[in-house]
Amino acid sequence: TLHLIAMMREWDLVCSWNKFTLDTIILNKISAFSFWVYAGIWLPWPISQRDFVANARGVDLLDTAKRQIIFLVDSKGADAADASGKGLDNLPKKASSRERIDIKPSIITLSPMTEDSVNASVFFSVDPNMVKVPAWLVNFVLQVMVPWVYKMVLKIIKKRFANESSLYPQRMAKRRNLYAHFKSRIDQSMNPWAREEK
């Protein structure tokens, strides 16, 4: 669970392993787990590159019956954020040549099961800014992109987090207090006696 949290929290590192992302940038940090983020997305020819700006917010529900950490993601307010100077002027130069997609209210849920396992679910609703999405592109996303990203996430968790010289462990060490807090919260959620003693 903690490693998946780190992969989402350290958003700017996604492009270091995900070949379908061209840029991943944290535009503005509102709080420890609330950000405006940017990503450029590669799509196969003849579809032009896409990008998005979205607000991502982490919510700790580990003390509830659901025992989850959720991440809420959507593009609502992106224009207003730009106007109020929340960092959207820090987009890469290539952003002007990319088609902007709209992330509708979406959610990622993480439910710790054991110390080494987590039940994760992802629901994303996207307006791709196309009059009609070709069937072959839908098939490419579902049959190529999504399975590849899933396998890479497993690979990153298994290999990079075990290597202290890798970027993710370095970031976690830099934000030691933040990740120690979440580790403690996760441990408590799996231990009812710890929650009662709290």
Side-chain angles (χ1 to χ4, degrees):
T1 305
L2 194 63
H3 293 163
L4 286 176
I5 291 173
M7 293 185 76
M8 286 180 277
R9 169 59 180 80
E10 310 302 335
W11 174 256
D12 57 313
L13 298 183
V14 171
C15 61
S16 70
W17 59 266
N18 188 339
K19 65 182 180 180
F20 297 112
T21 56
L22 306 172
D23 305 280
T24 49
I25 303 169
I26 297 176
L27 299 172
N28 183 62
K29 184 176 78 170
I30 301 170
S31 66
F33 260 85
S34 180
F35 305 87
W36 282 99
V37 299
Y38 172 87
I41 302 170
W42 178 90
L43 291 174
W45 185 89
I47 305 299
S48 60
Q49 295 177 0
R50 258 54 182 177
D51 67 0
F52 67 81
V53 173
N55 180 242
R57 308 170 298 285
V59 182
D60 182 347
L61 299 177
L62 291 173
D63 284 335
T64 70
K66 292 184 177 182
R67 290 181 49 241
Q68 295 175 334
I69 292 175
I70 66 173
F71 290 85
L72 305 172
V73 185
D74 66 76
S75 294
K76 184 179 180 180
D79 293 337
D82 192 12
S84 59
K86 291 184 178 178
L88 301 199
D89 53 346
N90 296 325
L91 300 181
K93 292 181 179 180
K94 291 183 179 180
S96 60
S97 64
R98 295 169 180 162
E99 296 285 343
R100 182 64 48 85
I101 66 175
D102 187 26
I103 306 293
K104 303 298 183 180
S106 302
I107 186 170
I108 300 170
T109 66
L110 304 178
S111 302
M113 305 300 289
T114 68
E115 184 176 348
D116 298 316
S117 65
V118 58
N119 185 356
S121 64
V122 179
F123 172 81
F124 261 76
S125 178
V126 178
D127 179 353
N129 193 17
M130 296 181 188
V131 175
K132 183 178 180 180
V133 181
W136 67 264
L137 180 59
V138 174
N139 291 335
F140 176 81
V141 171
L142 296 179
Q143 297 178 16
V144 178
M145 289 181 72
V146 171
W148 185 89
V149 170
Y150 174 74
K151 290 177 182 178
M152 282 300 297
V153 168
L154 296 181
K155 183 178 180 180
I156 296 296
I157 291 174
K158 183 177 180 179
K159 294 187 176 181
R160 293 199 186 183
F161 281 97
N163 183 355
E164 293 184 359
S165 64
S166 294
L167 292 174
Y168 283 107
Q170 289 179 1
R171 287 288 183 85
M172 292 181 73
K174 184 179 179 179
R175 306 188 217 281
R176 185 174 291 105
N177 291 340
L178 177 65
Y179 288 107
H181 166 75
F182 269 99
K183 184 178 187 307
S184 174
R185 296 288 295 122
I186 293 166
D187 291 345
Q188 290 172 5
S189 76
M190 294 187 296
N191 185 340
W193 295 278
R195 293 202 301 274
E196 291 175 3
E197 294 169 359
K198 184 178 176 182

